[in-house]
Amino acid sequence: MSLRHRFGSILIAGLCAFASMAASAHAILVASSPKLNGTVAAGHVQMVFKYNSKIDQHRSRMLLIGPDKSETVLTIATDSKSNEIDTSADLAPGSYTLRWQALALDGHITRGDLPFTVVAKQ
Ligand SMILES: [Cu+2]
């Protein structure tokens, strides 16, 4: 192996270490309401997604997929805690999915699907 190649390998190893450090700043979902596969009562449902780091609430997204597969973009509150996506909607009983997309302050986007069920109020 030439000296030049050896320097190349060291440089690549250094970039990988840097990349894994940056990855820890991604917004990772740590708690949610509704919970994953959870159940909530029909009516006005508050939705709170909590992340491990601050997010850009103006450029994060929350899409509600209804029982009929209809898609609704929910408005994200901008006066909530800086590590949360807070939103709400009036929901009838059925199976729903919240498809979230969070932009962390390091510029990286994370996404996920959170299915949950709405049941009739007792
Ligand atoms: Cu990141």
Side-chain angles (χ1 to χ4, degrees):
M1 191 190 263
S2 74
L3 195 59
R4 191 193 170 112
H5 278 126
R6 215 169 293 173
F7 274 120
S9 307
I10 292 164
L11 180 63
I12 288 163
L15 286 173
C16 288
F18 180 75
S20 59
M21 265 165 54
S24 65
H26 286 186
I28 295 162
L29 185 66
V30 291
S32 70
S33 176
K35 288 183 163 58
L36 180 67
N37 297 316
T39 298
V40 295
H44 195 69
V45 179
Q46 298 286 343
M47 293 162 249
V48 178
F49 282 56
K50 191 175 172 187
Y51 296 87
N52 67 328
S53 68
K54 286 187 182 181
I55 57 160
D56 183 335
Q57 290 163 338
H58 294 276
R59 290 192 282 172
S60 294
R61 295 278 176 272
M62 186 64 79
L63 184 73
L64 178 72
I65 302 167
D68 59 353
K69 304 297 169 204
S70 64
E71 299 185 351
T72 308
V73 176
L74 301 178
T75 302
I76 295 169
T78 52
D79 57 353
S80 66
K81 288 179 186 161
S82 59
N83 65 326
E84 286 182 4
I85 293 179
D86 289 12
T87 185
S88 64
D90 291 309
L91 303 179
S95 297
Y96 293 81
T97 296
L98 284 164
R99 180 161 292 166
W100 60 267
Q101 179 175 307
L103 176 65
L105 295 190
D106 70 352
H108 293 146
I109 291 170
T110 47
R111 339 180 135 78
D113 278 4
L114 187 128
F116 68 102
T117 304
V118 177
V119 296
K121 244 177 193 157
Q122 298 297 307

